[in-house]
């Protein structure tokens, strides 16, 4: 099983036969020196730095409008169930949005598309003998439920391709009118990349000459509109003639433009979408809005893949795990913690070892909160602590946590900072030690302040609160009886505590009572309640996962 440090390390119409352009994506290919350089927005500096893939360095996050920041995320193509590759992208995006919204107090306005008509949807529905619209709606409902189960906050607005068709058609018409796109003999429409002087800027692509393509002017040109091919496929009437449906890339450009206009602050999606999808989005919108920079900040999340498999998790490769399958074995919090430990733009090698490390990390946070609660309730011996040292350490933790999030949202390092603070406090409240000689004080307020900061940090990332004892009422339904489950568990723990005290009070321990205490501990563990014994009583905390009892729990006899 990997340690936390090991995981963090691993995760750290043809009218002219002119020059023909082709995408050149090989590493050895010569690259043109593009005149475009990322343009720093004019506005309010945030002190946050974000990685820019085009420049291959971090750049400052500057807000055009401090009162509102616009954010667009590429949504799903709903032709199948969501898998962990999708889930990791949306969980990571959710983490970033929560950090900006809840920690930095930035007013995000977020939007997402739903691709509900597409070649894959049509093909899947035809093979299954289903109505394509009903199938797409069913998979969309499943996607929404999966995101809810993963605690991913919904975008402020979500828009379907089928409901924004007039906007898409109008967008294409404008590009045709500006001679940035052309109509082919079959009434398809293609974007002319030779008119886009900065095409390839996101991926640092080169363009080279090649022979004339029989359909397109340039081999790199991409479809904005696909003409009807058969009578069974869904189509819409086009003002330039015939019927058809939009290409993939134009959907996001038109929908994002509908909501946010000629400039977008932040655009997010998986790293695999950077080219060609995001490159084509940027080219279309720069042409449509006559600008050389449509999106100010592109955020690309690293791809999830199985350990030992270098390829990303993909339906076409048949190497997927559905969200439902994940949640049968692990919790949403455990998967989110795994995403936090990998950082948003790093590749995420998925394995049981990674998930077990995430589980253990979560349990350490839970155990810390339980120990701190026990200490402040005087279930542990109280010591005089070094008040000056605790103040300095709390200041350091707050500062370093803030630095981590400002440094391209380094969640892995932020988690380490919180864990260092936990370890230090745990040594103060769990180990036998003499009272401090310098600035001695009980420091209950400082300990609680540190606990509150750690809990707020965890909640900022979208994890469940550590202080969740009050939520037991929601976990157990006693609507027909006047029973408080919190008090019930407390009473059971207190009775067990008296049994344990009686079993160890004499010169000779009572093995039968101790065995009964251990059996009761195991029974509670099976129901997701972890008992923690202290010198002056016992406390309890929810176990992160109740699938398996904690084999490392100390027995009462120890």
């Amino acid at each position: 099983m990997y340690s936390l440090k090991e995981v963090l390390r691993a995760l750290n119409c043809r009218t002219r036969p002119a020059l023909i352009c082709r995408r050149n994506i090989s590493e050895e290919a010569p690259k043109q020196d593009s005149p475009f350089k990322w343009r720093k927005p004019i506005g309010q500096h945030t002190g946050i730095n974000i990685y820019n893939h085009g420049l291959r360095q971090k750049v400052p996050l500057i807000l055009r409008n401090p009162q509102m920041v616009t954010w667009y995320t590429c949504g799903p193509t709903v032709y199948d169930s969501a898998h962990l590759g999708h889930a990791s992208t949306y969980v990571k995006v959710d983490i970033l949005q929560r950090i900006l919204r809840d920690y930095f107090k930035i007013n995000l306005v977020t939007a997402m598309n739903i691709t509900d008509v597409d070649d894959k949807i049509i093909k899947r529905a035809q093979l299954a003998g289903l109505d394509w619209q009903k199938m797409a709606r069913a998979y969309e409902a499943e996607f929404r439920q999966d995101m809810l189960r993963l605690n991913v906050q919904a975008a402020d607005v979500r828009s379907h391709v089928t409901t924004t068709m007039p906007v898409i058609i109008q967008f294409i018409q404008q590009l045709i009118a500006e001679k940035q796109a052309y109509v082919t003999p079959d009434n398809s429409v293609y974007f002319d990349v030779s008119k886009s002087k900065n095409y390839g800027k996101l991926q640092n692509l080169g363009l080279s000459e090649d022979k004339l393509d029989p359909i397109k002017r340039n081999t790199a040109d991409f479809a904005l509109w696909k003409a009807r091919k058969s009578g069974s496929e869904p189509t819409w009437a086009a003002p330039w003639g015939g019927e058809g449906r939009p290409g993939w890339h134009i959907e996001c450009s038109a929908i994002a433009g509908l909501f946010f206009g000629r400039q977008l602050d932040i655009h997010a999606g998986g790293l695999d979408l950077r080219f060609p999808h995001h490159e084509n989005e940027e080219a279309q919108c720069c042409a449509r809005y006559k600008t050389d920079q449509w999106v100010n900040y592109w955020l690309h999340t690293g791809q999830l893949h199985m350990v030992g498999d270098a390829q990303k998790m993909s339906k076409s490769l048949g190497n997927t795990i559905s969200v439902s399958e994940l949640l049968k074995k692990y919790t949403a919090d455990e998967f989110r913690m795994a995403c936090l430990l990998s950082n948003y733009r790093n590749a995420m090698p998925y394995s049981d070892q990674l998930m077990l490390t995430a589980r253990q990390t979560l349990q350490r946070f839970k155990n810390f909160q339980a120990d701190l609660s026990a200490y402040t309730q005087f279930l542990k011996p109280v010591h005089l602590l070094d008040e000056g040292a605790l103040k300095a350490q709390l200041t350091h933790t707050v500062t370093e946590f803030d630095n981590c999030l400002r440094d391209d949202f380094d969640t892995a390092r932020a988690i380490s900072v919180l864990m260092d603070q936990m370890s230090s406090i745990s040594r103060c409240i769990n180990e036998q030690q003499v009272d401090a000689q310098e600035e001695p004080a009980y420091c209950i307020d400082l300990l609680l302040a540190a606990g509150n900061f750690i809990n707020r940090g965890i909640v900022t990332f979208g994890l469940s609160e550590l202080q969740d004892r009050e939520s037991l009422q929601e976990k157990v339904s006693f609507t027909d009886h006047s029973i408080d489950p919190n008090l019930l568990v407390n009473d059971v723990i207190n009775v067990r505590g008296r049994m344990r005290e009686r079993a160890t009070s004499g010169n000779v321990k009572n093995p039968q009572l101790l065995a009964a205490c251990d059996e009761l501990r195991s029974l509670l563990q099976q129901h997701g309640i972890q008992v923690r014994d202290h010198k002056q009583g016992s406390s309890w905390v929810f176990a992160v996962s109740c699938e398996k009892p904690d084999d490392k729990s100390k027995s009462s006899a120890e």
Side-chain angles (χ1 to χ4, degrees), residues 234-432:
T235 58
W236 287 259
W240 49 85
E243 294 184 352
R245 63 180 185 276
W248 179 32
H249 313 301
I250 194 66
E251 302 167 2
C252 287
S253 292
I255 292 173
L258 170 65
F259 293 127
F260 303 129
R262 61 182 298 104
Q263 191 157 49
L264 177 61
D265 292 317
I266 300 173
H267 193 314
L271 184 60
D272 55 325
L273 299 183
R274 183 171 57 165
F275 186 86
H277 186 53
H278 290 165
E279 190 72 60
N280 293 348
E281 275 191 73
E282 178 76 6
Q284 292 165 157
C285 286
C286 286
R288 169 68 176 81
Y289 298 117
K290 297 180 176 60
T291 182
D292 60 358
Q293 182 169 295
W294 175 53
V295 174
N296 284 336
Y297 300 94
W298 291 92
L299 296 179
H300 293 111
T301 63
Q303 296 170 197
L304 180 145
H305 61 89
M306 301 298 293
V307 166
D309 186 350
Q311 294 178 301
K312 69 170 185 175
M313 187 172 286
S314 168
K315 297 169 186 175
S316 61
L317 297 174
N319 59 353
T320 64
I321 300 173
S322 71
V323 172
S324 294
E325 289 171 325
L326 166 78
L327 296 178
K328 290 177 182 178
K329 193 171 184 179
Y330 303 107
T331 68
D333 275 351
E334 289 166 353
F335 185 71
R336 184 172 289 255
M337 177 59 79
C339 292
L340 287 163
L341 296 177
S342 72
N343 269 358
Y344 82 94
R345 62 184 174 91
N346 291 350
M348 185 173 173
Y350 180 83
S351 66
D352 283 333
Q353 285 84 356
L354 170 65
M355 294 305 298
L356 290 175
T357 298
R359 174 178 293 174
Q360 292 167 350
T361 303
L362 273 174
Q363 193 64 58
R364 285 184 62 181
F365 279 94
K366 291 278 188 178
N367 292 347
F368 164 75
Q369 188 60 51
D371 287 345
L372 179 59
S373 178
Y375 187 84
T376 56
Q377 294 177 39
F378 309 109
L379 296 176
K380 293 174 176 288
V382 177
H383 306 288
L384 289 171
L385 306 176
D386 187 331
E387 184 176 23
L390 279 177
K391 284 182 178 179
Q393 188 176 63
L394 179 56
T395 300
H396 174 78
T397 297
V398 172
T399 301
E400 282 302 301
F401 185 81
D402 184 77
N403 289 339
C404 292
L405 299 189
R406 292 181 184 277
D407 184 16
D408 197 30
F409 315 109
D410 192 344
T411 56
R413 191 155 62 92
I415 292 293
S416 292
V417 167
L418 296 182
M419 294 182 72
D420 286 344
Q421 174 74 97
M422 288 194 309
S423 296
S424 179
I425 293 178
S426 293
R427 287 192 295 269
C428 291
I429 65 179
N430 288 328
E431 295 178 4
Q432 294 292 328

Side-chain angles (χ1 to χ4, degrees), residues 10 20 25 63 67-68 82 86 110 112 125 130 174 191 198 204 213 227 234 237 385 455 496 534 550 556:
I20 309 308
I25 60 175
L63 308 184
Q67 280 70 50
M68 178 187 72
H86 304 131
T110 60
M112 175 190 286
L130 299 173
Q174 179 97 22
F191 184 84
N198 296 319
N204 289 324
D213 185 276
L385 306 176
N455 187 62
R496 179 184 172 278
H534 315 288
D550 186 356
S556 298

